[in-house]
């Protein structure tokens, strides 16, 4: 609940300006609730209107994307890019292609990115984009044609020192390749304008693995400091079966945990023997199959369809839960089920997968709660490392990038821990610590740069 008069006013104005944008409002409320403490400690935030300036995007672009499908029929989609802030670096953030994408989703993701990019300590501002285009069910040619048309508009807004997009839901190596090809063709320049590129054309080793691996490095750092514990011997529940979920599963198992679930939007798998990552990768990265196929290939595993009345992935007894699919996938009843089953840590691979009510419930019940803006920052951090390699026209080895990623994730946790102590917060409340630590750096930069 927001009690400070200035913060309350900022939130009321935000709600008036952004009606019918529930995800954006949710992200804003969560951040403002945390920032009350900083506002009370630093009067200069109110004096310089830093919350209002932080919350108002520098630029928001919406555009038409027309393309021809395989039947020569014209298709029309909507594209977006929010360039939220360049206070601490060029705009940076992924592109999401999913039928649910709208202005609210793009802006909430842009807002989350602000604090996330700040926490990485790398010089990256904040941005996000995407389209309501659904890559599922389209041929490779159709996806290429869509990406080319999308970039034919987007190219005028981006550049290696201006705005550097990457992947997110529905945008992986294949899509980034098509987008990069079209940018190069229009601009006639070869630069690191996108990250998550193929290894043959400027991509960084370990970028594919980075978000999932980083999530586990962050979770391990929190478990070590707060519980003198680790993944070893723990039962882990993962949701999703895309890029983040696959590599979170792989790293959690390398660190000695047993991941017993994965899911997609149709249902989820329980595998008491531990998810077989080779089968998962074959199904999702090569065949692009549904997760139900896993149960047909791996004896002993069980598939449960997602429908009213069926148990959800969160009813599975576990020590650690890693939501890695999408926003608001873990609701209050799911949080209650996890706590009743004795969960120790919930760390977010996805962006805002817990509802606000679920996050508060977990924190109030002593669970280590690692918000996505901190726990999943390994993806964008490694994108930052890709930008660095592109600028130097060099490439580092997998181990070099992976060890930098591990250092960054451990430093993010340390930074949050120090902030929690400074503000006298509960040790398991990494949310307030992350919001304040991320915001302070941006606020100082905005103040120093005058009225821009
Ligand atoms: P992918 O497209 O690779 O995978 C997404 C997964 O989530 C799929 O299993 C998908 O299932 C599932 N999913 C998507 N939408 C829904 C929905 N509405 N309901 C249920 N399940 C759904 O995306 P990523 O793995 O890259 O992204 C996952 C999350 O991680 C997102 O929140 C993203 O913003 C976040 N993230 C990603 C980063 C990255 O580097 N890729 C970095 C940091 C955060 P289905 O196939 O059925 O749609
Ligand atoms: O949400 C995210 O952090 C991402 N999708 C990664 C963005 C990036 O620029 O690598």
């Amino acid at each position: 609940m927001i009690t400070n008069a200035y913060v309350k006013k900022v939130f009321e104005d935000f709600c008036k300006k952004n009606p019918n944008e529930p995800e954006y409002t949710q992200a804003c409320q969560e951040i403002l609730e945390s920032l009350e403490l900083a506002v009370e400690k630093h009067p200069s935030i109110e004096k310089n209107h830093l919350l209002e300036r932080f919350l108002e995007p520098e630029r928001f672009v919406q555009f038409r994307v027309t393309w021809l499908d395989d039947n020569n029929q014209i298709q029309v989609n909507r594209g977006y890019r929010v360039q939220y802030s360049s206070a601490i670096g060029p705009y940076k953030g992924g592109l999401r292609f999913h039928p649910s994408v709208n202005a609210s989703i793009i802006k909430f993701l842009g807002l989350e990115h602000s604090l996330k990019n700040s926490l990485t300590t790398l010089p990256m501002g904040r941005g996000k984009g995407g389209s309501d285009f659904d890559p599922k069910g389209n041929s490779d040619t159709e996806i290429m044609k869509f990406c080319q048309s999308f970039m034919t508009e987007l190219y005028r807004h981006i550049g290696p020192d201006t705005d550097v997009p990457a992947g997110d839901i529905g945008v992986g190596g294949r899509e980034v390749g098509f987008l990069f090809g079209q940018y190069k063709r229009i601009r006639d320049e070869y630069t690191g304008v996108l990250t998550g590129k193929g290894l043959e054309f400027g991509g960084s080793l370990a970028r594919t693995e980075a978000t999932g691996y980083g999530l586990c490095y962050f979770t391990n750092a929190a478990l070590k400091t707060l519980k003198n514990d680790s993944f070893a011997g723990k039962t882990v529940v993962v949701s999703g079966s895309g890029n983040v979920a696959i590599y979170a599963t792989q790293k959690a198992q390398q660190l000695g945990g047993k991941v017993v679930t994965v899911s997609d939007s149709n249902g989820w798998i329980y595998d008491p023997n531990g998810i077989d990552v080779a089968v998962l990768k074959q199904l999702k990265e090569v065949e692009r199959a549904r997760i139900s196929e896993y149960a047909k290939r791996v004896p002993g595993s069980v598939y449960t369809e997602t429908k009213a009345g069926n148990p959800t992935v969160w009813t599975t007894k576990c020590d650690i839960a890693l939501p890695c699919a999408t926003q608001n996938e873990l609701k209050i009843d799911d949080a209650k089920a996890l706590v009743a089953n004795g969960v120790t840590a919930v760390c977010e691979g996805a962006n805002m997968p817990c509802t606000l009510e679920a996050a508060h419930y977990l924190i109030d019940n002593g669970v280590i709660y690692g918000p996505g803006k901190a726990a999943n920052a390994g993806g964008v951090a490694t994108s930052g490392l890709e930008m660095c390699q592109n600028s130097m026209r060099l490439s580092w080895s997998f181990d070099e990038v992976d060890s930098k990623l591990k250092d960054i994730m451990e430093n993010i946790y340390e930074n949050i821990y120090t902030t929690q102590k400074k503000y006298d917060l509960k040790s398991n409340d990494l949310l307030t610590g992350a919001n304040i630590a991320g915001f302070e750096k941006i606020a100082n930069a905005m103040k120093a740069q005058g009225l821009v």
Side-chain angles (χ1 to χ4, degrees):
M1 234 207 0
I2 299 170
T3 52
N4 176 281
Y6 163 58
V7 182
K8 233 180 179 162
K9 169 89 174 58
V10 169
F11 187 52
E12 279 164 14
D13 288 349
F14 179 95
C15 293
K16 261 188 232 146
K17 270 194 209 169
N18 302 286
N20 309 319
E21 300 203 339
E23 295 86 2
Y24 190 32
T25 306
Q26 178 183 337
C28 173
Q29 182 181 344
E30 178 237 272
I31 291 169
L32 287 180
E33 281 178 1
S34 301
L35 294 184
E36 274 197 328
L37 288 174
V39 166
E40 273 152 23
K41 199 174 170 121
H42 304 291
S44 71
I45 296 178
E46 182 171 355
K47 190 166 157 245
N48 289 287
H49 294 262
L50 288 171
L51 287 185
E52 296 91 317
R53 290 158 66 185
F54 171 76
L55 289 170
E56 187 63 24
E58 285 174 22
R59 199 168 293 107
F60 179 70
V61 191
Q62 182 188 303
F63 50 95
R64 184 176 64 211
V65 187
T66 39
W67 55 282
L68 268 188
D69 69 16
D70 287 347
N71 298 319
N72 276 333
Q73 295 298 307
I74 296 169
Q75 299 291 336
V76 182
N77 286 94
R78 186 173 278 185
Y80 303 91
R81 187 75 184 163
V82 64
Q83 297 183 328
Y84 222 113
S85 162
S86 55
I88 59 170
Y91 311 110
K92 178 81 194 91
L95 297 170
R96 176 178 292 191
F97 293 169
H98 193 272
S100 64
V101 164
N102 56 30
S104 172
I105 291 197
I106 295 301
K107 286 191 260 177
F108 113 69
L109 289 165
L111 187 50
E112 287 289 289
H113 251 296
S114 316
L115 299 162
K116 181 184 327 197
N117 294 7
S118 170
L119 286 168
T120 65
T121 72
L122 300 175
M124 295 184 292
R126 38 189 181 131
K128 197 82 190 189
S131 173
D132 58 0
F133 171 74
D134 189 358
K136 268 199 235 93
N138 282 303
S139 69
D140 281 4
T141 316
E142 289 174 318
I143 289 168
M144 180 190 71
K145 286 197 269 185
F146 173 81
C147 288
Q148 290 181 340
S149 182
F150 184 85
M151 185 52 85
T152 303
E153 167 65 27
L154 187 68
Y155 86 94
R156 70 191 80 238
H157 306 292
I158 64 176
D161 295 317
T162 310
D163 183 353
V164 183
D168 192 84
I169 290 178
V171 179
R174 173 182 57 176
E175 291 75 16
V176 169
F178 293 146
L179 292 162
F180 180 76
Q182 182 73 350
Y183 181 87
K184 185 163 62 69
R185 186 178 175 201
I186 299 173
R187 287 271 199 205
D188 194 21
E189 63 179 37
Y190 202 108
T191 59
V193 66
L194 288 147
T195 58
K197 299 183 289 298
L199 298 179
E200 307 80 3
F201 52 96
S204 174
L205 284 159
R207 174 62 188 89
T208 305
E209 293 81 357
T211 311
Y213 277 24
L215 171 65
C216 294
Y217 295 146
F218 179 90
T219 308
N220 227 21
L223 285 171
K224 188 171 165 205
T225 307
L226 300 175
K227 303 268 178 198
N228 195 23
D229 211 339
S230 72
F231 270 93
K234 300 292 182 300
T235 300
V236 184
V237 158
V238 168
S239 67
S241 51
N243 172 266
V244 180
I246 291 171
Y247 293 98
T249 300
Q250 185 172 67
K251 183 51 75 178
Q253 308 214 132
Q254 283 172 4
L255 293 172
K258 182 158 82 168
V259 177
V260 292
T261 64
V262 282
S263 68
D264 63 19
S265 52
N266 298 114
W268 59 282
I269 294 291
Y270 174 66
D271 186 345
N273 300 314
I275 294 294
D276 184 328
V277 176
V279 173
L280 182 64
K281 288 179 70 166
Q282 171 66 24
L283 288 174
K284 287 292 171 179
E285 294 184 337
V286 181
E287 299 175 29
R288 298 182 191 271
R290 305 310 296 158
I291 202 61
S292 51
E293 281 298 309
Y294 183 99
K296 295 181 191 152
R297 294 201 197 169
V298 181
S301 65
V302 182
Y303 176 69
T304 305
E305 200 189 330
T306 300
K307 67 172 186 202
N310 275 358
T312 72
V313 68
W314 311 117
T315 56
T316 311
K317 188 170 169 50
C318 65
D319 305 299
I320 299 168
L322 305 174
C324 295
T326 193
Q327 65 275 354
N328 293 329
E329 55 165 314
L330 197 160
K331 301 184 171 51
I332 182 68
D333 287 345
D334 304 317
K336 286 183 178 165
L338 285 166
V339 169
N341 277 328
V343 76
T344 307
V346 176
C347 290
E348 300 179 335
N351 285 307
M352 209 171 73
C354 291
T355 63
L356 204 49
E357 205 184 359
H360 284 315
Y361 186 85
L362 294 169
I363 293 168
D364 292 346
N365 283 277
V367 176
I368 299 172
Y369 171 67
K373 68 197 89 195
N376 73 34
V380 74
T382 307
S383 280
L385 300 177
E386 183 170 322
M387 288 165 72
C388 187
Q389 293 168 78
N390 291 165
S391 299
M392 293 191 298
R393 305 202 189 282
L394 282 174
S395 49
W396 298 328
S397 69
F398 186 97
D399 287 348
E400 200 170 348
V401 180
D402 188 35
S403 106
K404 285 184 174 35
L405 166 66
K406 188 160 179 281
D407 285 348
I408 290 171
M409 297 314 294
E410 290 173 354
N411 285 335
I412 292 176
Y413 176 71
E414 271 309 308
N415 185 11
I416 295 173
Y417 183 68
T418 311
T419 309
Q420 286 171 307
K421 286 201 152 163
K422 199 164 91 186
Y423 283 86
D424 218 7
L425 297 165
K426 282 197 246 173
S427 64
N428 66 314
D429 176 9
L430 312 191
L431 175 63
T432 312
N435 281 330
I436 296 177
F439 174 75
E440 284 185 342
K441 178 176 170 188
I442 300 170
N444 289 337
M446 285 192 299
K447 212 162 68 178
Q449 291 170 25
L451 282 184
V452 287

